[in-house]
Amino acid sequence: MKKILLPVDGSDFCLKAYDIAISFAEKFGAEIIVLNVADIEPGFTQTFITQNFQTMDEYLKARAETIIEGAKSKFEGSDIKVTFHIATGDPAAEIIDMAEREECDMIIICTHGMSGAKRFLIGSVASKVVHHASMPVFVIR
């Protein structure tokens, strides 16, 4: 195992994923690629207005940079090679595309544990990645 993709969304649900990715990387001497996919949220308009961002791109970039800065702190003091990327679009598609482009050996992704009805109606990013990725996906719950 040479490369691990670790998609992050800044939520507390994903804290365990950092520890597991670090553990795998240390055991196998692998590189970790951290990815945040900026996606427009349902409550975007309210946030956009209340935070006075001039453009949607400005809002998405600021949010993604905050998430990536938080992710960087998880690797402080580590000898693991870690790179950080930001993408915009459909999270599942961007995760799969990055994993294939970077020739990752594994994706480690967290799930938010949505209920069956909610997952059925809106779909889960983790579920989509599991079903469509061409490499192993380790799901953290």
Side-chain angles (χ1 to χ4, degrees):
M1 184 176 314
K2 303 267 189 236
K3 288 185 182 179
I4 299 167
L5 181 62
L6 178 62
V8 297
D9 64 4
S11 71
D12 289 341
F13 291 103
C14 294
L15 294 176
K16 284 192 256 180
Y18 288 103
D19 295 335
I20 291 170
I22 289 169
S23 178
F24 271 91
E26 288 173 344
K27 288 178 184 166
F28 294 102
E31 168 187 352
I32 297 175
I33 300 170
V34 177
L35 172 66
N36 173 257
V37 181
D39 184 29
I40 298 174
E41 305 163 355
F44 174 77
T45 305
Q46 182 179 358
T47 303
F48 187 77
I49 291 168
T50 59
Q51 293 189 7
N52 285 329
F53 287 98
Q54 297 300 312
T55 66
M56 186 182 309
D57 287 341
E58 186 180 308
Y59 164 77
L60 293 173
K61 182 179 179 191
R63 183 172 181 274
E65 287 174 354
T66 299
I67 292 168
I68 290 296
E69 286 306 311
K72 286 179 181 178
S73 70
K74 307 293 186 213
F75 298 96
E76 288 177 358
S78 168
D79 292 332
I80 299 167
K81 180 180 178 189
V82 184
T83 56
F84 300 89
H85 297 272
I86 296 171
T88 303
D90 175 64
E94 293 295 328
I95 290 165
I96 292 167
D97 288 348
M98 174 68 76
E100 290 174 354
R101 189 171 48 253
E102 293 292 328
E103 299 178 353
C104 293
D105 301 296
M106 174 185 279
I107 300 170
I108 297 177
I109 190 168
C110 67
T111 180
H112 294 192
M114 288 188 285
S115 70
K118 187 174 181 184
R119 184 174 55 244
F120 177 76
L121 291 172
I122 65 172
S124 158
V125 171
S127 178
K128 291 174 187 174
V129 170
V130 166
H131 286 96
H132 299 286
S134 60
M135 69 282 306
V137 180
F138 191 100
V139 180
I140 312 298
R141 183 168 181 168

